[in-house]
Amino acid sequence: MTLLVKSSYSHRFLSSSTPAMSVCSSFCPQLPSYFRQKPINSLPTKPLFPLSFKVFSSQATGVSAKDELPGRIGFLGMGIMGTPMAQNLLKAGCDVTVWNRTKSKCDPLISLGAKYQPSPDEVAASCDVTFAMLADPESAMDVACGKHGAASGMGPGKGYVDVSTVDGDTSKLINGHIKATGASFLEAPVSGSKKPAEDGQLIFLAAGDKSLYNTVAPLLDIMGKSRFYLGDVGNGAAMKLVVNMIMGSMMATFSEGLLHSEKVGLDPNVLVEVVSQGAISAPMYSLKGPSMIESLYPTAFPLKHQQKDLRLALGLAESVSQSTPIAAAANELYKVAKSHGLSDEDFSAVIEALKAKK
């Protein structure tokens, strides 16, 4: 395995990767028009930014230090995830052009040096690779393929990377529209919420054009801690939906446990501590548990998006005749929480749907 270095404003810890997976990395210097991956022995003696080390695991090989990256990067969607992702690209010295339906959401990025275009097609036309992080399948389709959509600005030599969470059918439709222009398409939905996005600790689940994957791999490494190439378009979407189906079901069960412990006279804070030290430990429990006990739900991953992902995962399961009764029950609980006006709260607010009416 080879350890390579990436420049970044933030210090990150060294993570381990599975031996079966190849290791990829990049060094992104502060250059306005292009980037080039460099092995550790070619780093300048006085780097522009503090250096931190990160190992990237991937099922794909073939990312060469000789590969040149596009110098102009577009980013569509400045929401809870898109904004920190684009910020990390800017902090790494990348040339970034942004767009959002509400322009004011682009202002913080513009103040950091980003360029702005008033429509997705103009972003795509002015950039070599365009990323999109949208809220749902409908938005992803509209921004990519609708009037003034990114596809209208695409062409040979360009790439479109959709990092939104959508169903496989939507991803394949977008792929068709993009490829019809002569451009390349990659789906790369992310596992991780607001804090991992801010810290550059996302996990990318990529599928589609392998050459585009290799080209943008160093950009994914700036925004994330690991990346997986999963083959044909649709596989990335499927993996993300399965992951979020598991997560949503886990949170629903955890909510039941917190309330159950309190009802039988136990301290739910102690429950969180016990769980965090056992075989079922998960960072989500220790991170969300204390605030859930206080009925506080600061939004990192909106509840409405968790319910959307459960709905899409259940549809995927039905398409292959896979029984998912636990996820189906969890989905109903999130729907109840939405009916209580909790759509924009963190998905941990699902616990409110379980609280008995007083």
Side-chain angles (χ1 to χ4, degrees), residues 189-202:
V190 301
S191 181
S193 56
K194 181 180 178 183
K195 188 64 164 59
E198 292 172 344
D199 295 342
Q201 294 289 300
L202 296 170

Side-chain angles (χ1 to χ4, degrees), residues 286-305:
S286 55
L287 178 66
K288 305 286 187 181
S291 60
M292 292 170 70
I293 293 167
E294 299 297 324
S295 299
L296 299 172
Y297 315 106
T299 305
F301 181 47
L303 186 144
K304 62 185 178 185
H305 291 169

